[in-house]
Amino acid sequence: MRPELLEYNLDWLFAATFNIAKKTENATEKELARLLQFAPYDSGLLTPLLGLGKPAITFIDLFGEYYSNIVNAKRDGKKVVMTTFCFDPSIFYAVNNLVPVTLEIGTALTSMLWKRGSYDFMDFCTEVGFSETGCSSQRGAMGAYLAGAGAKIDLVALNMGGVCDTNANAYSFAAQYLNVPYYGLDYPSQLTTEEVRRYHYKDYRELIQFIETHTGCKFDIDRLRELLEEKKIQDALLDEIEEMQRLVPNPVPGLYHILIYASRYIYSGRKKYTKMLREMVEIIRKNAAEGRSGLNSGVEKCRAFLIYIDNYSLNVGMWDWFDQNGIAHMGNILSRTFSEKAPYTTGIPGTTYEINTRDFESMIDSLADINARMPMTRTIRGPYDAPNMWLEDTLSLAGIYNADCCIYNGTPGCRNTWSNVKLITRDLEKYGYPTHLVYADSFDGRVESWDTTVMRLDEFFRIRGLL
Amino acid sequence: MITAGCDIGSRTAKAVILEDDDILTYAVIPARLDPRKSAEDVMKIATEQAGISMDSIRQIVGTGYGQKEIQYAGRLESEIVCHAKGAWWNQPSARMVIDIGGQDSKVIKMDETGKVIRYSYNDKCAAGTGRFLEIMADALGVPLEEMGEKASASNERISISSQCVIFAETEVVSLVNEGKEIHDILNALHRAMANRVASQARSLVVEEDVILTGGVAKNSGIFDALSEGIRIRIKPLEHIDPQINGALGAALIAKEIDRS
Amino acid sequence: MKTAFYDAATNIDLDSVRAWKEKGGKVVGYTCSFLPTEVFYAADILPIRLRGVGADSMEIGDAYYGPFACTFPKAVLQLAGSEKYRFLDGVVISNGCDSMRRLDECWRKMSEDISDTLPSFFHYFDVPHKPEGYAVIWYMDQVKKLMDSVEKHFGRSISDENLKTAIRKQNQVRKSLWELERLRAFDPAKISGTEAFASIVASTVMPRDTYAELLLQCIDTVNQKKDNPLGGRKRIFLGGSVCDAVELVALIEKAGAVVVGENVCFGPRNENDLVDEDANPIEALTRTYLSGSACPRMFGWYKARLHTITERIKALKVDGVILQNIRFCDMHGTENGLLERDLEKIGIPSIRIEREYGPLTETGRLKMRVNAFVEQLESKSNHHEAMP
Amino acid sequence: MSIVAGCDVGSLTTKAVIINNRRIVAAAIIRSGPRPVQSANEVMEKVCSEAGILQKGIDFCIGTGYGRESIEFVDEAVSEISCHAKGAQWLVPSARTIVDIGGQDCKVIRIDKEGNVQKFVTNDKCASGTGRFLDVMANVMNITTSELGKLSTKSTSPIAFASVCTVWAQADIIKHINARCRPEDICAGINAAMANRVSMLANTMKIEDDICITGGGAKNDGVVNALGGILGRRIKRINRVDPQLAGAIGAALLASQRTRNGSNR
Ligand SMILES: Nc1ncnc2c1ncn2[C@@H]1O[C@H](COP(=O)(O)OP(=O)(O)O)[C@@H](O)[C@H]1O
Ligand SMILES: Nc1ncnc2c1ncn2[C@@H]1O[C@H](COP(=O)(O)OP(=O)(O)O)[C@@H](O)[C@H]1O
Ligand code: SF4
Ligand code: SF4
Ligand code: SF4
């Protein structure tokens, strides 16, 4: 890796960028343009973000705070835990001396925000022995922490065993490389049986122990209850947003989705996240009342559902393109919560979670259930065509949103989906959903040039008569 | 009524001029570095051959990799649609078209009206395109035109593993060193290439009739290898150069536009 | 008998297996060394390790798998799709890794397009990703489920007695395999890696009793041998992804080295892999098969693995380690990175090599690296002599 | 005093060197034909006539390179890695890390002061990151590989390449050419992409100064400079002789060692 890169601390760069951007809340166009010059290396994420108004400001504020906490962790005598996006972080906030660092979020931000993208960090991972073909979603940010260009990591905890190899593999590598303790929750290939549930509970309790041993401090029950109660409110808000997504035209701006899931992965259970969701709901309600589409153009020509994740390799290029073409972004599996009341839940027992704050034990059970039902841990843990797995989820979602088409966008590093995406595409087509496979890498712009990606997308929408 | 189609590909530029339902003339030229130039040249040649002037052409549809550079095109259409249209017009029984060009290979499924149902491009890697065979022909010092027959003269079955065009080349060299016969190596190359395309066709579920188009369809060796790969006999286009199929489709679309 | 092993290691259509079928015996294929094969022998069914030997094209494998997946399961699918596995009465697929577990879906889908390619017994064996805690109970439960469905489907009953017998006999094989390892530990090694590895791979595809006998004979004859051509050769240990390629070992030995051990998912992994013959069989099997350090799919257990491997490397007096991984095998690819780092720390030169599964054709670049590595090891030793 | 020779049959070029008591008396580089045997014989005749000796006048000859096994006249075959190490160390005694950019692969070699290989890594993934990559790109731009190197040094704003794949990068280049990009910027982009790949390879192992670069790629200033920049270290060049000869020279040096150690055919 270029030596000069080590001179910047990634977390600090984020903190600085967001804290500056935050100040633009009620700035004029001119002031804004001026201010943004001070946001280091912004490659054009902030401007479209700020275009979203209130919720975006809260989002930026939230991220500024999040990264400031990481930067100041040592000063404040806190430990830093490296974790993955599909892990509900509220548990970390329930002990008073722990700050989570979520790699995938870091990678996405680095790719979207930095002029030079996250290439150098990705390549650094390869240089220190991590498989070059591994998923890019971790490599981007992981490189920074391995290279010492980010916060010092004290422990690693995640929940990807049995769900995604490359993911779990990346974290166990990081733990090994940095020589810090590692704990991974493990998930069987099914979801609903009693044994599985027992496994989840047992495993999660060992995680709790792990955290207590390595942070040397006990869980604060009241704080945990507070977080979970807050999470209930958040779930309710999310359900409302989901519900309103079903309207034609869809009143939810496509970019909201990334705000929704990015913040959830780092701030679930915290007040700022609730604030952002409230502000969103307000705007969405207004749009809905006026029958306005969430698209800038205002005209919804087509509704696309992303059956996996979004593309972050070029700022918000993908959302822009959708917007320009009047395609409503119906979210992807990351925007889902499988809370019991979520509109698309199948009602099959065990497929959703319920938050119970009666006592510590029931709260721990709830958290175990939540973690086992995060978007990925819930949807792609088993065979794609098994009950309540990828195919069924996709069909039910595409159905209630009455999507016109499906799009797969992921990373070549994802063995899990690239080993069966051709099959699910085939099935979705059979069920009448035109489905497009994007060969690009969500985080690494070098895999396929953006022009090519767009050219193929455009071709798909035209040939399949969607526009 | 006269219409035309122009297909600016990565390796060659093609133009077809239609008078109602008959092909007046067509031209195929190697692509120039600048696609705009290719478009001008190929059209000039075609119109001269037909002995007509540009403005006597009612409608021109452009397609292919360099379509955006075709100044005179009245409309642009994707290669997928053009190839489907051309092949279906020539063979109404066609349900699947496999087009292997210089830079990519496409598999297209269509219904009995020639409408595209599904399609796919070659997976990431360049092995499985005409370029692959070109580089190999070059490495073996065999003219492209003769590759096919030479390959079918093979009597020893050897296999080429390398997925990479560039590395396959060194693999070929080492096979030559081992004293393998050129036609056996060629045969292996054709199978290696065909199998990549075959897997592409199989993922869309093969349906008869299957038609092979694009410049590579001029290569008899590919027909056998590909048919073996999908376990179904592939058909050629009848009485026309498969390389112009895209341009032909474009010309046909031009005609339809003008009707409506 | 060397040729019998070599034949078994390099083909899937084996006389011994055909003989078994002709006696009306059943054959079940499995995908990962975490599967307790004793269960099948207890039901008088022949378990064979599924491999992709001789898959020289991928048009079927690539039709269902995406382009970014390991070629090992792809090759297995390719063979299944070209009806090479017609003789199987059943298949057990386990979640060894993501590419491998998706073989379940790909195989089923493929059978919709190519008729009679799906054995009537098609079982998914769910192995946890940690060797302790509730995972143990989970694994035992999986074994019970497997036994049930075997009993139901094949109309056999698996008594504790049958299981114990199977365990006892399999232990015999394990012991012999360690005997073989000890022959390789001699300096100079008493048996070439090519020969030894062939017999190791064969152990996963030949009927157990036939195999056990041949192996003992093989060990005898090796013990008898007086002359030893393997003196003075650099001693190589081969590690990494699933590997059944005897040609690869042969290629390394052609470069003037001798391969004295492997950790490539075929063959013994650690000395204490004997199954307790007195304990409750299912518990005993679980303890052995789930034992910690087997393979990188047990995330977070690297240190334990490093330990066992290092111990073996020392016991085998290894001069250099070749760590290979199949492209897109991230778990082994990454682990190889760590192993290289840590082995070199303790002064054992190592090299990482990425390859595709399948027939070794273009060997030019591979040869170059292997030769250079052996030369590197040799120049080292000259070097030490040079400066006392 | 003995006359020894080294013959390096590479994927793209075949080189031969004759050394007479530690002095290079003749050297030649020719393009490799499809049959290494022929290329080897051809180049050997060339150097022999240049040195004014008969082939049998050579006491010991070591063959190396991609086609080393198929050369008939050699007394021994040694891998390129060892040969490049020896050759480079002889040409640049202070060299501890050697980067060899050849036609079909790229190697980074760490050596001790005797020129013994301590560790090496080679590119084995994808053709990008090999000399061939540069040739294909140059070819698309209708220039020679040497011009590719020279041009790029004039670039002000190198373009960034998306595709890592040799064959797909071509399409990218054509796009840029159509977009009327300045050729020098495209060239610089190509060299940067190349240098990036090589630096990754180099960084996978501990690199020690001095770094010296051999193989045909060493003649490409664009790549060499870019590489130096990325690694943040100065790269020593071989100017005594053509760096492309390093492998052959190393082979010859090993040959003279053999004669000294008295091992003969
Ligand atoms: N006479 C021929 N025999 C065999 N192959 C040919 C012949 N002519 C062209 N080709 C193949 O066709 C390819 C170009 O096909 P084409 O459809 O023109 O590509 P594109 O449309 O991308 O320009 C070349 O790469 C070459 O492999
Ligand atoms: N004059 C030159 N300028 C820049 N690059 C060159 C020059 N000559 C050769 N090369 C590069 O060197 C490569 C061949 O290097 P070489 O060491 O001969 O490979 P090999 O040993 O595999 O035959 C070519 O691919 C080309 O990129
Ligand atoms: S392997 Fe070869 S063809 Fe494939 S991507 Fe790399 S360079 Fe391109
Ligand atoms: S390497 Fe590990 S996961 Fe792969 S088959 Fe062997 S035991 Fe199973
Ligand atoms: S080699 Fe690796 S990726 Fe391939 S099947 Fe085995 S564990 Fe999976």
Side-chain angles (χ1 to χ4, degrees):
Chain A
M1 181 166 70
R2 291 179 176 70
E4 67 265 26
L5 254 112
L6 291 169
E7 291 161 19
Y8 309 89
N9 176 300
L10 185 69
D11 306 312
W12 178 84
L13 281 176
F14 282 135
T17 310
F18 288 121
N19 290 332
I20 293 171
K22 185 173 68 189
K23 300 200 176 65
T24 64
E25 175 150 23
N26 26 40
T28 68
E29 285 295 317
K30 235 166 125 281
E31 289 166 334
L32 204 142
R34 190 88 187 73
L35 252 172
L36 283 184
Q37 292 173 353
F38 294 96
Y41 306 112
D42 172 33
S43 72
L45 170 66
L46 291 178
T47 327
L49 260 189
L50 292 165
L52 294 175
K54 244 175 164 326
I57 295 292
T58 314
F59 173 83
I60 288 168
D61 175 26
L62 180 155
F63 265 82
E65 185 179 287
Y66 168 73
Y67 276 107
S68 305
N69 288 338
I70 298 172
V71 172
N72 303 327
K74 288 285 153 297
R75 189 200 69 197
D76 308 346
K78 296 190 172 193
K79 293 207 180 308
V80 181
V81 55
M82 182 188 267
T83 189
T84 189
F85 64 116
C86 271
F87 185 96
D88 187 289
S90 28
I91 188 70
F92 297 135
Y93 293 116
V95 287
N96 54 20
N97 69 341
L98 204 53
V99 235
V101 167
T102 310
L103 289 186
E104 293 80 2
I105 301 298
T107 307
L109 279 179
T110 320
S111 309
M112 295 172 100
L113 189 60
W114 266 212
K115 286 215 178 66
R116 62 182 324 147
S118 43
Y119 307 156
D120 301 277
F121 294 139
M122 290 185 184
D123 294 350
F124 180 78
C125 295
T126 316
E127 291 168 7
V128 296
F130 186 73
S131 162
E132 186 179 19
T133 56
C135 180
S136 49
S137 64
Q138 290 84 31
R139 277 187 290 136
M142 187 166 88
Y145 297 102
L146 296 188
K152 184 184 160 305
I153 304 299
D154 299 296
L155 57 155
V156 176
L158 71 155
N159 60 336
M160 278 291 163
V163 177
C164 169
D165 283 343
T166 23
N167 184 309
N169 186 50
Y171 285 88
S172 52
F173 175 82
Q176 195 54 50
Y177 186 84
L178 300 166
N179 198 10
V180 298
Y182 168 97
Y183 194 91
L185 291 171
D186 180 32
Y187 293 138
S189 301
Q190 308 123 324
L191 179 70
T192 51
T193 68
E194 249 328 294
E195 302 103 306
V196 171
R197 199 156 252 211
R198 237 178 281 122
Y199 196 171
H200 292 162
Y201 292 169
K202 192 91 175 33
D203 209 9
Y204 200 85
R205 277 173 175 70
E206 289 184 22
L207 170 68
I208 300 281
Q209 267 197 349
F210 171 84
I211 295 173
E212 285 178 339
T213 338
H214 295 287
T215 60
C217 91
K218 288 245 153 291
F219 281 90
D220 176 336
I221 298 185
D222 304 330
R223 197 190 189 122
L224 185 56
R225 179 170 290 114
E226 210 176 293
L227 285 154
L228 286 177
E229 287 301 339
E230 193 67 19
K231 192 168 167 50
K232 280 187 190 165
I233 304 172
Q234 294 167 356
D235 285 347
L237 288 162
L238 287 166
D239 292 348
E240 183 173 356
I241 295 176
E242 290 293 347
E243 195 54 49
M244 286 191 286
Q245 277 233 110
R246 305 173 66 166
L247 298 169
V248 183
N250 169 17
V252 183
L255 261 181
Y256 274 19
H257 288 287
I258 188 165
L259 272 58
I260 289 173
Y261 60 75
S263 329
R264 173 164 149 235
Y265 292 141
I266 62 166
Y267 252 43
S268 146
R270 306 196 60 171
K271 295 251 175 341
K272 274 212 170 98
Y273 183 39
T274 323
K275 176 164 179 280
M276 185 188 84
L277 291 174
R278 283 220 171 83
E279 291 161 346
M280 286 181 166
V281 169
E282 216 170 284
I283 297 175
I284 299 171
R285 279 195 191 133
K286 198 150 163 300
N287 286 351
E290 298 162 8
R292 195 183 316 119
S293 146
L295 295 158
N296 289 323
S297 55
V299 240
E300 174 180 300
K301 297 209 196 90
C302 166
R303 297 160 74 93
F305 176 59
L306 283 97
I307 68 171
Y308 202 50
I309 59 177
D310 292 319
N311 189 310
Y312 321 94
S313 64
L314 187 97
N315 309 334
V316 293
M318 197 189 72
W319 285 270
D320 282 346
W321 187 83
F322 274 24
D323 218 278
Q324 287 151 18
N325 291 278
I327 303 163
H329 183 303
M330 307 304 295
N332 62 32
I333 68 173
L334 296 182
S335 356
R336 314 286 155 243
T337 83
F338 289 93
S339 63
E340 58 194 327
K341 291 193 211 61
Y344 41 74
T345 47
T346 47
I348 297 165
T351 54
T352 57
Y353 64 80
E354 170 196 6
I355 299 178
N356 180 338
T357 57
R358 201 185 326 103
D359 50 23
F360 188 66
E361 294 308 315
S362 48
M363 286 195 280
I364 296 304
D365 291 348
S366 309
L367 276 167
D369 286 337
I370 294 172
N371 267 300
R373 287 157 187 78
M374 295 295 278
M376 301 248 171
T377 54
R378 150 94 171 62
T379 296
I380 62 169
R381 68 159 62 180
Y384 84 99
D385 54 353
N388 336 304
M389 289 297 156
W390 202 17
L391 179 59
E392 270 192 18
D393 282 354
T394 309
L395 286 173
S396 72
L397 287 162
I400 67 159
Y401 294 150
N402 48 67
D404 303 306
C405 63
C406 296
I407 296 172
Y408 170 88
N409 189 112
T411 92
C414 182
R415 306 288 153 260
N416 215 348
T417 52
W418 270 110
S419 298
N420 60 14
V421 70
K422 285 184 178 179
L423 314 184
I424 197 173
T425 307
R426 211 171 125 170
D427 292 352
L428 289 173
E429 288 278 355
K430 208 158 70 246
Y431 285 101
Y433 291 103
T435 306
H436 178 61
L437 275 186
V438 178
Y439 278 84
D441 185 312
S442 290
F443 304 84
D444 186 345
R446 296 171 300 184
V447 170
E448 180 179 272
S449 72
W450 181 246
D451 320 356
T452 316
T453 312
V454 164
M455 188 182 86
R456 297 274 184 247
L457 272 171
D458 180 68
E459 192 173 54
F460 167 73
F461 278 93
R462 280 197 287 112
I463 294 178
R464 305 301 299 273
L466 294 158
L467 287 179
Chain B
M1 173 193 57
I2 297 180
T3 60
C6 181
D7 173 1
I8 306 302
S10 60
R11 313 294 301 162
T12 61
K14 307 118 220 160
V16 169
I17 299 180
L18 275 185
E19 178 147 33
D20 303 321
D21 270 341
D22 312 311
I23 299 175
L24 261 188
T25 184
Y26 70 87
V28 180
I29 63 166
R32 322 277 187 246
L33 244 190
D34 178 355
R36 193 169 304 157
K37 184 97 175 46
S38 312
E40 284 160 10
D41 294 2
V42 74
M43 210 53 196
K44 188 156 165 301
I45 296 171
T47 43
E48 275 166 8
Q49 285 175 3
I52 56 169
S53 67
M54 277 298 269
D55 38 72
S56 65
I57 304 175
R58 197 65 97 51
Q59 178 63 266
I60 303 180
V61 168
T63 185
Y65 161 79
Q67 50 177 262
K68 289 191 184 57
E69 304 287 327
I70 309 175
Q71 306 301 336
Y72 46 72
R75 181 171 138 189
L76 302 179
E77 196 42 87
S78 119
E79 295 163 77
I80 301 286
V81 176
C82 293
H83 276 283
K85 178 68 70 187
W88 179 79
W89 180 76
N90 185 280
Q91 307 269 307
S93 61
R95 292 295 170 271
M96 186 176 246
V97 179
I98 300 178
D99 169 66
I100 311 180
Q103 200 70 255
D104 57 23
S105 59
K106 321 172 192 68
V107 177
I108 309 161
K109 282 184 89 169
M110 48 208 197
D111 62 17
E112 57 291 338
T113 71
K115 180 170 167 300
V116 176
I117 312 170
R118 280 191 73 182
Y119 66 92
S120 78
Y121 284 88
N122 52 310
D123 291 342
K124 273 267 121 283
C125 211
T129 67
R131 191 90 183 88
F132 177 80
L133 288 178
E134 269 182 88
I135 297 174
M136 295 311 146
D138 191 43
L140 288 166
V142 176
L144 209 52
E145 297 69 22
E146 297 165 22
M147 277 185 108
E149 311 131 45
K150 280 211 164 49
S152 39
S154 159
N155 41 28
E156 188 200 347
R157 197 181 170 90
I158 44 182
S159 78
I160 301 243
S161 69
S162 192
Q163 301 279 324
C164 167
V165 177
I166 306 301
F167 287 157
E169 193 180 350
T170 61
E171 190 168 342
V172 163
V173 174
S174 58
L175 285 170
V176 174
N177 299 338
E178 293 165 26
K180 297 288 185 200
E181 294 296 336
I182 295 293
H183 52 248
D184 295 330
I185 300 175
L186 279 171
N187 186 281
L189 284 167
H190 280 74
R191 274 183 288 115
M193 193 269 212
N195 282 330
R196 297 200 118 268
V197 183
S199 68
Q200 208 181 317
R202 283 168 172 272
S203 358
L204 295 194
V205 185
V206 182
E207 245 179 85
E208 301 198 75
D209 292 349
V210 184
I211 310 289
L212 184 62
T213 70
V216 176
K218 290 182 175 175
N219 178 332
S220 56
I222 284 299
F223 270 91
D224 307 335
L226 199 50
S227 304
E228 182 191 328
I230 61 174
R231 312 277 195 285
I232 282 178
R233 190 67 209 162
I234 295 172
K235 297 196 173 142
L237 291 171
E238 271 164 26
H239 331 294
I240 66 166
D241 177 346
Q243 201 162 5
I244 66 164
N245 184 53
L248 171 63
L252 291 163
I253 293 167
K255 196 180 70 193
E256 289 170 6
I257 302 170
D258 207 79
R259 287 251 177 68
S260 54
Chain C
M1 79 249 136
K2 167 192 158 206
T3 51
F5 287 154
Y6 190 85
D7 179 55
T10 49
N11 296 297
I12 49 171
D13 183 9
L14 307 182
D15 303 342
S16 49
V17 175
R18 222 188 277 110
W20 177 284
K21 290 281 300 186
E22 275 152 15
K23 292 199 275 82
K26 301 283 182 203
V27 183
V28 167
Y30 64 96
T31 58
C32 172
S33 61
F34 275 96
L35 186 91
T37 50
E38 284 85 345
V39 166
F40 290 97
Y41 278 115
D44 195 23
I45 295 169
L46 171 63
I48 64 161
R49 177 78 179 262
L50 290 177
R51 306 180 297 142
V53 272
D56 62 359
S57 70
M58 278 293 176
E59 78 278 5
I60 297 173
D62 282 328
Y64 301 91
Y65 275 101
F68 316 111
C70 168
T71 36
F72 180 62
K74 273 190 196 178
V76 174
L77 187 65
Q78 178 71 27
L79 292 190
S82 28
E83 309 189 341
K84 297 272 190 340
Y85 274 127
R86 259 287 178 68
F87 64 88
L88 290 179
D89 302 288
V91 163
V92 180
I93 287 168
S94 37
N95 55 341
C97 71
D98 285 341
S99 306
M100 192 43 105
R101 72 167 168 160
R102 297 306 186 197
L103 184 59
D104 162 33
E105 291 117 296
C106 289
W107 196 321
R108 284 187 284 114
K109 217 16 156 223
M110 182 256 293
S111 71
E112 292 173 14
D113 303 337
I114 310 173
S115 48
D116 316 325
T117 46
L118 191 72
S120 52
F121 180 75
F122 201 75
H123 186 91
Y124 183 82
F125 189 78
D126 195 5
V127 185
H129 291 75
K130 51 175 72 174
E132 52 172 17
Y134 195 82
V136 175
I137 301 169
W138 177 265
Y139 187 93
M140 282 171 54
D141 186 59
Q142 283 294 308
V143 177
K144 293 200 194 87
K145 284 203 170 77
L146 175 65
M147 285 165 60
D148 291 348
S149 50
V150 168
E151 286 179 324
K152 267 197 210 66
H153 185 275
F154 293 100
R156 321 249 162 126
S157 75
I158 304 175
S159 67
D160 269 19
E161 267 331 295
N162 300 137
L163 259 184
K164 288 196 157 165
T165 323
I167 290 173
R168 211 175 47 254
K169 291 193 171 174
Q170 194 59 47
N171 276 345
Q172 282 312 321
V173 175
R174 293 197 176 94
K175 290 194 190 115
S176 313
L177 283 170
W178 278 107
E179 196 45 44
L180 187 69
E181 173 120 335
R182 274 183 283 280
L183 294 176
R184 306 173 78 180
F186 278 98
D187 192 2
K190 283 182 181 279
I191 177 171
S192 80
T194 317
E195 232 178 302
F197 188 57
S199 36
I200 286 171
V201 173
S203 72
T204 63
V205 287
M206 285 175 79
R208 183 195 55 216
D209 300 347
T210 328
Y211 176 79
E213 211 163 295
L214 283 175
L215 186 58
L216 287 175
Q217 285 172 26
C218 167
I219 292 170
D220 278 351
T221 29
V222 173
N223 277 321
Q224 316 282 307
K225 262 199 298 178
K226 293 278 157 291
D227 65 320
N228 193 322
L230 299 169
R233 287 167 166 244
K234 289 292 158 194
R235 302 165 65 86
I236 301 282
F237 186 86
L238 181 68
S241 295
V242 166
C243 172
D244 59 351
V246 183
E247 324 87 82
L248 180 61
V249 175
L251 182 141
I252 297 171
E253 300 199 313
K254 263 206 213 70
V258 56
V259 176
V260 292
E262 306 83 13
N263 183 48
V264 290
C265 184
F266 281 86
R269 270 171 164 155
N270 54 358
E271 277 278 8
N272 43 35
D273 62 357
L274 290 186
V275 181
D276 184 340
E277 300 181 2
D278 312 321
N280 163 316
I282 296 181
E283 283 175 31
L285 286 170
T286 305
R287 224 171 294 123
T288 297
Y289 277 90
L290 207 58
S291 69
S293 56
C295 128
R297 73 178 295 289
M298 294 302 194
F299 303 110
W301 285 77
Y302 170 75
K303 282 204 170 62
R305 278 192 294 281
L306 176 64
H307 177 74
T308 18
I309 292 179
T310 324
E311 287 307 303
R312 278 184 71 199
I313 286 177
K314 288 194 187 123
L316 294 165
K317 310 178 198 67
V318 168
D319 297 304
V321 177
I322 295 179
L323 299 159
Q324 50 84 38
N325 79 284
I326 300 176
R327 181 138 218 227
F328 299 120
C329 175
D330 305 310
M331 293 194 297
H332 287 279
T334 299
E335 181 120 324
N336 288 351
L338 291 169
L339 284 171
E340 183 186 33
R341 182 193 69 169
D342 295 337
L343 290 174
E344 299 216 320
K345 265 198 210 129
I346 57 169
I348 300 166
S350 308
I351 180 178
R352 277 187 286 154
I353 286 176
E354 192 180 73
R355 62 181 190 102
E356 292 286 359
Y357 180 86
L360 279 188
T361 43
E362 204 284 303
T363 50
R365 275 170 293 126
L366 191 58
K367 271 203 201 104
M368 190 267 286
R369 274 172 295 164
V370 172
N371 291 353
F373 185 58
V374 176
E375 287 166 12
Q376 173 191 337
L377 298 176
E378 285 164 348
S379 79
K380 251 201 181 46
S381 50
N382 302 341
H383 196 58
H384 295 316
E385 289 152 23
M387 28 188 245
Chain D
M1 120 172 177
S2 63
I3 299 176
V4 293
C7 180
D8 173 0
V9 184
S11 61
L12 285 165
T13 63
T14 300
K15 309 114 220 161
V17 169
I18 295 184
I19 286 184
N20 188 346
N21 64 9
R22 303 190 72 70
R23 268 189 48 260
I24 300 176
V25 293
I29 303 179
I30 63 168
R31 200 154 189 348
S32 299
R35 293 190 185 278
V37 193
Q38 283 163 12
S39 316
N41 295 335
E42 203 178 312
V43 79
M44 246 1 232
E45 276 160 32
K46 211 150 172 270
V47 276
C48 286
S49 61
E50 186 185 326
I53 59 166
L54 293 171
Q55 198 154 328
K56 56 173 147 54
I58 298 170
D59 300 306
F60 204 93
C61 176
I62 286 186
T64 184
Y66 186 66
R68 63 183 175 284
E69 262 129 5
S70 41
I71 317 176
E72 292 138 339
F73 54 77
V74 297
D75 303 288
E76 189 184 333
V78 179
S79 79
E80 298 96 298
I81 305 272
S82 309
C83 293
H84 274 279
K86 264 273 172 290
Q89 196 271 340
W90 187 68
L91 294 163
V92 183
S94 62
R96 291 296 171 271
T97 306
I98 293 140
V99 177
D100 167 47
I101 301 177
Q104 67 162 3
D105 59 13
C106 165
K107 323 173 183 77
V108 182
I109 313 165
R110 197 169 73 233
I111 60 170
D112 62 17
K113 55 184 183 322
E114 279 88 12
N116 296 310
V117 177
Q118 287 186 321
K119 183 156 184 65
F120 68 90
V121 281
T122 60
N123 159 323
D124 56 348
K125 293 185 176 55
C126 172
S128 48
T130 68
R132 195 73 175 74
F133 171 77
L134 297 172
D135 301 349
V136 175
M137 295 311 148
N139 179 302
V140 177
M141 300 197 54
N142 280 327
I143 58 174
T144 67
T145 314
S146 29
E147 287 166 318
L148 183 74
K150 294 190 195 65
L151 266 177
S152 67
T153 49
K154 296 199 197 64
S155 163
T156 47
S157 58
I159 53 152
F161 273 104
S163 181
V164 282
C165 160
T166 310
V167 179
W168 295 84
Q170 285 182 54
D172 273 12
I173 291 188
I174 297 174
K175 266 197 219 108
H176 290 296
I177 295 173
N178 298 334
R180 310 273 184 279
C181 275
R182 295 170 63 233
E184 45 268 47
D185 291 339
I186 302 179
C187 292
I190 296 169
N191 289 333
M194 172 76 178
N196 253 316
R197 218 96 184 88
V198 179
S199 75
M200 264 173 74
L201 199 62
N203 285 329
T204 54
M205 62 183 220
K206 211 165 101 288
I207 40 178
E208 290 168 12
D209 288 327
D210 292 343
I211 306 168
C212 130
I213 180 161
T214 67
K219 298 182 184 176
N220 184 324
D221 298 336
V223 174
V224 178
N225 297 339
L227 185 59
I230 299 169
L231 294 176
R233 292 153 180 261
R234 228 182 97 262
I235 295 180
K236 283 220 168 180
R237 291 160 191 268
I238 297 170
N239 8 35
R240 275 166 63 189
V241 297
D242 185 332
Q244 209 163 353
L245 288 171
I249 293 173
L253 292 168
L254 287 168
S256 58
Q257 269 185 8
R258 300 283 193 280
T259 50
R260 257 180 281 115
N261 304 356
S263 69
N264 43 36
R265 36 200 109 167

